[in-house]
Structures are given as C-alpha cells and as structure tokens.
Amino acid sequence: MSKPKILLINPPLWNTYAPHLAIPLLAGSLKARGWDVRCLDLSIESVDWLVSRKGLLSLESLFEKRYRDSDSNLLPELERARLIYPETIKNIDNAKQTLRSFSGLQNHEEFLKAKITLRNALHFISASFPGLKFDLFANDLYYSARSSQAVLKAADDPEKNIYRWLFQKMLPPHLEDPNLGLVGISVSADTQLVAAITIAKLIKEIRPDIHITMGGNYTTRIVHKWKEPHPLCQLIDSFILYEGEESLPKLCQSLFNGGVESIPGHVYKKGDKLHHTPPQDVQLDEVPFADFSDYPLEKYFAPGPVLPTYASRSCIFNCAFCSIPFASNRFRMRNPERIVDEMEYQKEKHGSRHFMFVDELLTLPTLQGVSDELIKRDSKLFWYGETRFAPGLNEKISNRLYQSGCRRMNFGLESFNQRILDLMNKETRVDYIPKNLHAFLESGIPVHLFVILGFPGENKQETTRTIFFAEEIMRKSDEQYGVPYSTWGASPFVLDLNSPIGLNPDKFGIEIIPPKDDEDLALSTNYITREGISETETSELMEATARRSPYRPRRDANWFHRSSSREVEEEMFLRACYDTGLPKPLTCKPKLFIESIDNQYTWLEDDVTVLQSNYSFVDQKPKKCTLLYKSNRDYLVEIPGSLYKWEHWLKNPTPFKEQRDILAKTLKWTKRQSQELLEMLLRFELLICNKIPVSVEDIDSEELIFYQEKGVYEEFIEEEQQAILISTITGKSVTMNLEAYALWSLCSEGFSLIQNDKLQFVGLDHLPLKEIKNVLFQLAESGFVYLKKSKRNR
C-alpha cells in the first residue's frame, strides 16, 4: 500500500503580494523524506478569484439581497458599491495584470488607475457580506477571531462568513483523492483563524477520515496554555507548536507507519487532557530548501515574484512589547553559503531575482556574510530585510550591502527617545540612529522605519519628537540623498499578553483590563497606564503632522474616495530595484474653451457611470440625488434630485445649449446654474466636447483668471494658523499656510496675476509672481481652482 498523501494549506488572509514561507518549507522537508505532498495557498487563490470578473459576478445576487434588506445605516457603503460596480467589473482583470507586471511599475498613470479599480473591487466584496471589511492585508469579519464560540459559529455560516461561502466552491476538488490522509493548516496570524477553522469544518463534513493538524506562530501562541481539550479540538485532531520541519514528518510517520516515540511540539488529546510534548530546535542548515512548485507565483500582486527566504530563526533580543522569542525557540543562524545556495536555486527554478528575508532580525554577521557571498558569486540578485540600529553599521558595510543587491532595509526605530528605548528594552542608543541612516541612504539604500507611538509612560513631547524625526528622515532621503523610496509607518502601542510587558504589567506601570469572558483566543487586550500620552492624543498628533506642510495633498480625505490600500513594501522594494520613480497622484489637467461651445456637441465619457442614488455623499445623509462617477480618475459629481430623463441626453451627442436647457428645466435651475455645472463636467472630463480645449500652457499666464472650483469644503484651524480644503469631486485635500489660503480666497470672485491691488490688500504683494503662479497651478491640478481667459484679451 502506498503512503497516504499530504495536503498543506495556507488559509486567508495572509500577504497577497508575495508567498508565505511556512508551507513551502514544510513541503520541502516532507518531500525529502519521501512523502507525496501538495500545497495550496488558499489565501492568494481566494483573493485572486474574488478580485476577478468571475468572482464579482458571483457576488451580485448576494449584494442585491443585502441591498434590498438593508436599512439606512448601510446606505453609504451600499450606494458606493452600486456606483463603482459597472466599471469595476469591466476593468478588474486588466487592472490585476497591470499591478502584477514590471511594465505596470513603469507606467505610473496606468498603475494608479489599476489601484483605483482594485480598491473598488475590494469595496464591492466588502459590501456583499455583513460586517466585512476586505482588503489585501487583513479583513474584519462579522465573527470575532478572539472567541472560539464565534469562530465555530462562523465555520457554519455562509451568509455572514465569506470564507464558508467561498470554500464550499473551492475546497471540495482538493479533497477528492481517496489516498489523501492528512491536511496540515498553517496559521501564522489571527487574520487566518476564522478561515482555518472553516476549512477544518468543511473537511470534517466531506472527508471525516482525514487527520487535520494545525501549526504556525499564532497556533503556538494560543495553544501552548491549553491544559484540557479546547472547543477547537472538535475540528482539529492535533497541533504542532513552534517549528514543524522535523515534527510534521514524524507525525505522518506515526499516523501512517508507526514506530515514532516522540514528536516535538506535538499537542493532542489523551483522555480528558491535552498532552504536550516539549519542542525541539531544528538544525537550520539541515532543513531542505523551500518548495514553491505548487504555488501560483504569477498570481501574487507584486511582480517578480518576490520570494521569501531566511537567514535565522527567532530573535536574540527581548523587547518589552514583543512576543516573538516566546513563540520561536532560541535564536539560530544559517551559514551564508547555504543561504545564497538556496537563493540561486530558487532563481534557477522560478526565474526570480527578488528576495525578502523574513527574519525578525538580520544581525551584523549575517549582513556581512550574505553580502560577501553574493558579491563573491556575482549573483546579480536583489534583496531586502530588517535589522536594528547598532554601532557597527557604517558606510563601508552599507556600500557592500548595496553592491550585493540590497535595495531596502527595515529598521525598528520605535522611538527617537533614549528614555523610551530603555523602557522598551531595545538595547540600542539614540545616537546610533542618525549615523546608521546616513550610511544606508548615502549608499543609496532606501529605509523603512517602524514606529510605536504611545508606549506606556511616553509623554506627548517624546511622541512628537519621534514623529518629527521620522518625517525629517523621509524628507532628507528624497531631497538630500536622492532616495525617494524610503517610508515610515506608525501604529499605536498594542498590549500583547505574551510579551514581557503583558507578563509583567506592574513593572511597566500599567493595569491590564482582562479580555471579555468569551474572548478565550485573545492575545491582546486594553490597559490603563498611570502616566503618559493616551491613544486619542497619539492619533491627534499623527493628524497634526499631516497638516504641517504649507502645501501638502492628503489622499483619501473624502469618505467616498477613501482607500483600503496602503504602502506595500514589496512594491517599494521593486521600485528601488529598477528606480522607477514614485507615481504622483492623478491630477486634473487645466483646460480652456476660448470660444463659445453653445452649438458644440457634448456627451458622457464612456467610463462614466450614472446612478440615481438614495444617499448623498456630500451631505452624508439619505437623500435622492444623481451621481456621476468617472472610474479611471476616481471623480465623483453629485447633482441634487433624480435626473432619469436627462440621463438619456447625457449619453448621446447633444448640442451643449440643448443639454443646458434640458438640465435647467429638469432641475428648475437657471440657465446660468446649468451652464456652470456642465462646464464643470467638461473640466473634469466627465463630458466630452467635439471642440478641442486649449492647453493653458499655450496662453500667457497673465491672461488667465483663477476661480474657486465647485464642491470644495474649507476649514480654518485657528490654533495652527492653517486651512484645509477638501474636494468632494476628486477626494483630494490640501493643507495650506496663511499665504496660500489668502490666494485661494482671492479666487472666490476671480483673480488674475496682474491684479496687484488685490495682492496688496491681502498682504501678498511681497511674494514673487512665480511662487504665486506655482501655488495657483498646484491648486488647479488638484481640482481646487479652475481657469478662464480674460475677456479683454479674447
């Protein structure tokens, strides 16, 4: 009798921009011992199918039912989904191709349009299930992953759990082989737990004979404390904690061939108790190479693909906020030759030159050894990873790293205050930080800074100092060093119950608020601190930081345009590899119609959707209105009232004058009001005219008059002496100093660059004309002002 077959599954939702390393490592170890293994990255397979024309079409009936049964509280998300759906369904498959291609990285405008389409697809998916917020990084579900009662209920509910609905279609074909004997499910994060248990529930329904085992970092952190059979044990037959390269083959041997005395890290039911065997370190240089052969590498959302690899396990340090050492045995390193052997092997097998080290920390010896080996072999590979600030990271080393192909380095900055670093037990010095960053940026290596704000005991001044430092490094990276690909990200402190601070709260001056009684799977919780900045104050400081620049566009200020995406490290790494530059936000192209267009034909652009809506995004309340949405620019125009009759005229070439008169009659507007609306639709290219507009570049700027655009909200912040403008049409916002705000105000009745009396009246006559012109044109490109030619010069 042949050996039973093994199926290893990576459940959603994990990183969709690159494969996860756990399953390929286990597959390599099993295959080296003669087991027949198949791997299924159900995370990328699920997302790829959902975010497709076929997947979105399959959601239509679910969405329509939810729309019919909804109350007014759901109108914003549902009406938005109705509006974006028609163009999304047409463009989503091409958008995915753009995002997955190197040519897409080079074509900035097409790349940004593809991201808008992807965002819209994710929103439609989210709107199809109650309580769902779906994106490419994580998802919020109706059922909480903090409660086993909720998780088990989710596993049986296709109406509220997208994974039960989806896996009923996707999973059965993978279970048909009668020789399939074991399914291993890897759960590395809480974002995967509901999907993992849903998989287990379906397997037990379809193939109750199959043994199900579960492992992974998250599994280790929740299962290690169980002493008695847990409710999840009714679906999971065994667990493997910590490392699985030795344990999983021994489990298979024990189940199907017998003769194994002990399986490291094995947890299983024994009577009315759970039996735990002690874990055992894996010898890293003896671990077979990761096997990605079953993974659909073309489906990940970053081109390349960017393949994960590793140089070490665990972490040599013991930071107060981190539980990684707790769940990963002792710190060990691989031999640099073995590391580069594997990188070259994967390059030959899969054709990829791009690698990310998934280590918690690349030590100085590892960085030196790997870079020297890559340079010695002239491997021509690109890679990135994470390290820490240390005295030995000088320019000589950073130059070697760049020469070896390093094109990004992540640093755990956390705080730019020595007192807070000491509280965190970071074991580093603030004075190392600027020197290390200078070395890397001078060598041309972009950096990413991880920041934790609001650590217990941190005060407002210390939080502000860290934010200012991170922003200043980003500015210097671009302007001083010519490295535009550096990034930083801040998050509020989260209390991990398995971290040193979670295990010794009194030492850090906090009082833990225990999780709710039914939250038996919670690994984090709230707390009360005796002193320091609150989470609310931290959020306010972050917002204030975004407003400091005198002219700083802020994306996603308007709710409708809000993005579900964020900076992607794989994308930024690849941009640095090929120096593609960074995509600039899509801008409006200022244009003029010099002559009358009354008799010219106008019609609706092909990519514009018209929707008679029951919700106003401008007033943010239920209200009948007509929405016009230009998908490839993400422009939204809202017209009060229902315009069923006018919609026909919009879609067919009609003289502008006739369009104006029909609109005025339908809305009971004046002809001037209707003309202004149609001219705005022409400016934002929702309407097309057979009269070609004139570029403003062809006209002397002194002949131009600047007017405030329609649909702009303004807010003046007295304490900061700044103003914020938000466009309901483009979704862009801008923060302005007093001088820029004064210029904007002059445009309310029309402003020309030759009107020195107006400039003098508002105290701006001292500014260079070039600076004034630049600000006005920036406002025009962001959709806050529009231009006309002076009648005197026509």
Side-chain angles (χ1 to χ4, degrees):
M1 180 179 175
S2 61
K3 287 183 177 180
K5 295 180 179 179
I6 313 299
L7 174 63
L8 302 180
I9 299 178
N10 181 52
L13 191 68
W14 191 255
N15 181 11
T16 54
Y17 289 89
H20 187 32
L21 186 57
I23 293 295
L25 277 174
L26 294 173
S29 293
L30 285 164
K31 289 182 179 181
R33 291 164 172 82
W35 291 96
D36 188 346
V37 183
R38 288 182 295 115
C39 301
L40 175 61
D41 189 349
L42 205 48
S43 181
I44 191 59
E45 296 286 7
S46 297
V47 173
D48 180 64
W49 188 83
L50 286 167
V51 184
S52 69
R53 177 178 173 82
K54 183 178 180 181
L56 295 176
L57 283 171
S58 72
L59 289 168
E60 272 190 6
S61 60
L62 291 175
F63 175 80
E64 290 169 0
K65 181 180 184 301
R66 189 162 185 245
Y67 184 80
R68 289 194 305 269
D69 299 342
S70 66
D71 56 38
S72 59
N73 292 330
L74 297 174
L75 271 178
E77 65 171 295
L78 297 178
E79 291 290 43
R80 179 186 181 194
R82 287 178 66 211
L83 180 62
I84 62 180
Y85 181 70
E87 287 299 312
T88 302
I89 203 80
K90 289 196 304 188
N91 298 324
I92 186 59
D93 290 336
N94 287 335
K96 287 198 301 182
Q97 290 181 14
T98 298
L99 295 172
R100 289 166 170 168
S101 68
F102 283 104
S103 61
L105 289 177
Q106 301 282 351
N107 190 330
H108 293 176
E109 183 166 329
E110 290 305 310
F111 186 85
L112 290 175
K113 291 177 181 178
K115 291 192 82 168
I116 292 170
T117 300
L118 176 62
R119 180 208 65 190
N120 288 347
L122 294 170
H123 181 80
F124 185 80
I125 295 167
S126 299
S128 300
F129 287 85
L132 177 63
K133 182 182 177 183
F134 195 87
D135 66 27
L136 299 188
F137 300 92
N139 45 66
D140 295 330
L141 302 170
Y142 180 88
Y143 293 100
S144 170
R146 295 169 64 90
S147 163
S148 58
Q149 182 180 1
V151 170
L152 289 168
K153 192 173 181 181
D156 230 1
D157 188 352
E159 293 187 2
K160 296 186 180 71
N161 176 9
I162 186 173
Y163 295 123
R164 175 70 196 209
W165 174 82
L166 180 60
F167 295 164
Q168 289 174 167
K169 310 172 191 293
M170 298 186 71
L171 194 58
H174 297 281
L175 305 176
E176 291 175 351
D177 191 333
N179 290 326
L180 182 61
L182 179 142
V183 172
I185 305 173
S186 177
V187 183
S188 297
D190 59 351
T191 57
Q192 298 176 285
L193 184 62
V194 170
I197 298 303
T198 302
I199 292 167
K201 181 68 166 60
L202 280 165
I203 293 173
K204 288 302 183 186
E205 292 175 7
I206 299 169
R207 289 286 305 275
D209 58 304
I210 291 175
H211 183 97
I212 301 175
T213 190
M214 193 166 90
N217 184 278
Y218 181 76
T219 301
T220 298
R221 289 188 286 155
I222 61 172
V223 175
H224 83 280
K225 59 185 178 182
W226 296 351
K227 304 302 181 186
E228 299 178 352
H230 187 272
L232 297 188
C233 293
Q234 60 189 283
L235 296 177
I236 309 297
D237 299 305
S238 66
F239 301 90
I240 292 179
L241 310 190
Y242 303 95
E243 297 168 323
E245 289 93 341
E246 294 292 334
S247 302
L248 186 56
K250 287 185 177 181
L251 175 63
C252 294
Q253 177 72 14
S254 175
L255 289 172
F256 305 121
N257 294 339
V260 176
E261 294 181 0
S262 179
I263 302 166
H266 187 207
V267 179
Y268 59 97
K269 284 188 291 187
K270 195 172 184 180
D272 59 352
K273 299 290 184 182
L274 276 186
H275 182 71
H276 293 247
T277 61
Q280 178 180 310
D281 288 346
V282 169
Q283 300 302 313
L284 298 186
D285 284 329
E286 297 177 8
V287 174
F289 293 163
D291 189 326
F292 297 96
S293 56
D294 286 340
Y295 272 18
L297 299 180
E298 75 284 355
K299 291 184 179 180
Y300 295 94
F301 281 81
V306 181
L307 293 177
T309 190
Y310 68 109
S312 61
R313 291 274 172 89
S314 193
C315 183
I316 199 170
F317 295 94
N318 193 33
C319 299
F321 52 81
C322 183
S323 65
I324 285 166
F326 163 84
S328 53
N329 290 357
R330 66 182 181 87
F331 180 72
R332 289 144 292 152
M333 296 189 297
R334 297 173 79 191
N335 185 297
E337 292 184 3
R338 178 75 172 169
I339 297 167
V340 177
D341 283 346
E342 179 164 9
M343 293 171 75
E344 291 188 331
Y345 167 82
Q346 302 294 3
K347 173 192 171 184
E348 291 301 316
K349 188 171 181 63
H350 301 292
S352 179
R353 301 169 57 207
H354 313 95
F355 294 87
M356 59 176 177
F357 282 89
V358 297
D359 305 53
E360 305 302 334
L361 169 70
L362 291 173
T363 64
L364 185 56
T366 292
L367 291 173
Q368 292 173 317
V370 170
S371 60
D372 287 347
E373 192 66 26
L374 286 166
I375 292 170
K376 182 176 73 174
R377 301 190 194 189
D378 192 24
S379 295
K380 294 183 171 58
L381 302 177
F382 293 117
W383 61 276
Y384 75 97
E386 181 172 349
T387 192
R388 70 193 318 269
F389 295 109
L393 284 179
N394 54 40
E395 202 168 325
K396 179 180 178 181
I397 290 174
S398 60
N399 284 336
R400 293 286 286 176
L401 294 175
Y402 185 89
Q403 186 182 353
S404 75
C406 178
R407 292 298 182 270
R408 177 183 172 97
M409 189 58 68
N410 300 338
F411 287 89
L413 171 64
E414 322 309 358
S415 175
F416 192 57
N417 301 276
Q418 190 62 55
R419 187 179 79 87
I420 302 305
L421 292 177
D422 292 343
L423 285 176
M424 293 177 170
N425 196 33
K426 284 287 293 183
E427 298 186 44
T428 191
R429 303 292 305 170
V430 162
D431 56 342
Y432 301 158
I433 297 171
K435 297 174 184 177
N436 290 174
L437 293 175
H438 167 76
F440 276 77
L441 294 173
E442 184 68 26
S443 298
I445 300 174
V447 298
H448 175 80
L449 305 179
F450 293 106
V451 171
I452 296 175
L453 301 179
F455 188 82
E458 183 177 45
N459 61 45
K460 186 175 181 179
Q461 292 73 26
E462 290 167 326
T463 304
T464 302
R465 172 179 159 88
T466 300
I467 293 172
F468 274 44
F469 175 77
E471 288 286 345
E472 181 65 9
I473 291 299
M474 297 304 105
R475 185 191 66 79
K476 285 184 176 180
S477 179
D478 187 13
E479 298 176 9
Q480 179 177 327
Y481 295 97
V483 180
Y485 309 106
S486 291
T487 55
W488 79 285
S491 59
F493 169 74
V494 175
L495 177 62
D496 187 320
L497 290 168
N498 289 320
S499 68
I501 191 170
L503 297 172
N504 302 283
D506 291 341
K507 179 181 176 182
F508 294 88
I510 66 168
E511 179 184 342
I512 289 179
I513 301 173
K516 297 175 184 177
D517 290 342
D518 65 339
E519 292 184 330
D520 57 320
L521 300 176
L523 290 179
S524 62
T525 191
N526 295 324
Y527 63 94
I528 299 171
T529 182
R530 299 184 192 130
E531 58 182 24
I533 189 171
S534 69
E535 190 171 339
T536 300
E537 290 174 312
T538 300
S539 298
E540 290 172 352
L541 280 174
M542 288 288 292
E543 181 61 24
T545 301
R547 295 198 298 260
R548 278 201 302 272
S549 173
Y551 187 88
R552 177 191 174 100
R554 294 186 306 149
R555 292 171 287 179
D556 310 326
N558 185 333
W559 181 88
F560 176 87
H561 301 85
R562 189 174 302 145
S563 175
S564 59
S565 64
R566 61 190 185 193
E567 284 179 334
V568 177
E569 66 177 48
E570 292 87 353
E571 177 197 327
M572 298 299 285
F573 162 64
L574 291 169
R575 290 194 179 282
C577 289
Y578 299 101
D579 198 17
T580 67
L582 295 178
K584 296 180 180 179
L586 294 171
T587 58
C588 307
K589 300 175 182 177
K591 57 183 70 65
L592 296 168
F593 291 93
I594 302 297
E595 301 171 4
S596 172
I597 59 171
D598 280 3
N599 297 316
Q600 301 298 325
Y601 283 82
T602 60
W603 62 95
L604 201 67
E605 175 67 278
D606 289 341
D607 65 350
V608 175
T609 300
V610 181
L611 179 71
Q612 308 302 322
S613 175
N614 295 312
Y615 184 83
S616 166
F617 290 97
V618 173
D619 297 331
Q620 297 186 17
K621 65 181 181 180
K623 182 180 178 181
K624 288 193 177 296
C625 58
T626 301
L627 303 176
L628 281 72
Y629 178 60
K630 184 177 177 65
S631 62
N632 71 357
R633 290 277 167 176
D634 207 26
Y635 293 165
L636 173 70
V637 173
E638 183 177 305
I639 304 171
S642 296
L643 299 174
Y644 289 105
K645 295 181 180 178
W646 185 52
E647 189 174 337
H648 167 75
W649 297 99
L650 265 178
K651 294 180 178 179
N652 295 282
T654 306
F656 180 87
K657 183 178 179 181
E658 191 174 337
Q659 290 268 26
R660 179 196 64 198
D661 294 345
I662 294 169
L663 181 60
K665 183 178 179 180
T666 304
L667 290 176
K668 298 180 181 179
W669 281 4
T670 65
K671 290 184 179 180
R672 179 179 177 181
Q673 288 175 309
S674 300
Q675 175 137 346
E676 288 178 350
L677 173 62
L678 291 173
E679 287 178 349
M680 182 189 69
L681 295 178
L682 284 167
R683 287 196 296 272
F684 285 102
E685 297 180 343
L686 280 80
L687 282 184
I688 297 176
C689 179
N690 62 343
K691 177 72 174 179
I692 300 175
V694 177
S695 170
V696 296
E697 297 174 355
D698 298 331
I699 299 176
D700 188 335
S701 59
E702 294 185 359
E703 300 181 42
L704 298 173
I705 303 178
F706 297 84
Y707 291 89
Q708 290 183 359
E709 187 56 271
K710 306 292 185 290
V712 176
Y713 288 138
E714 57 181 291
E715 176 188 356
F716 187 73
I717 307 169
E718 185 72 34
E719 63 272 17
E720 297 182 23
Q721 293 293 287
Q722 291 184 328
I724 298 176
L725 305 181
I726 301 175
S727 170
T728 61
I729 297 172
T730 67
K732 291 183 171 64
S733 73
V734 63
T735 301
M736 318 170 78
N737 61 14
L738 291 178
E739 293 178 340
Y741 184 58
L743 279 176
W744 153 258
S745 301
L746 289 178
C747 298
S748 60
E749 300 296 329
F751 170 70
S752 169
L753 291 172
I754 62 174
Q755 292 178 307
N756 291 325
D757 55 333
K758 288 190 175 183
L759 291 173
Q760 188 174 5
F761 179 75
V762 296
L764 299 181
D765 52 316
H766 66 285
L767 293 178
L769 193 62
K770 182 178 180 181
E771 183 177 334
I772 293 172
K773 177 182 173 182
N774 286 342
V775 170
L776 290 172
F777 271 94
Q778 284 180 317
L779 288 170
E781 290 176 350
S782 297
F784 295 108
V785 302
Y786 67 92
L787 299 83
K788 286 188 175 182
K789 188 176 180 183
S790 172
K791 293 181 179 179
R792 294 172 300 177
N793 296 305
R794 291 188 183 179

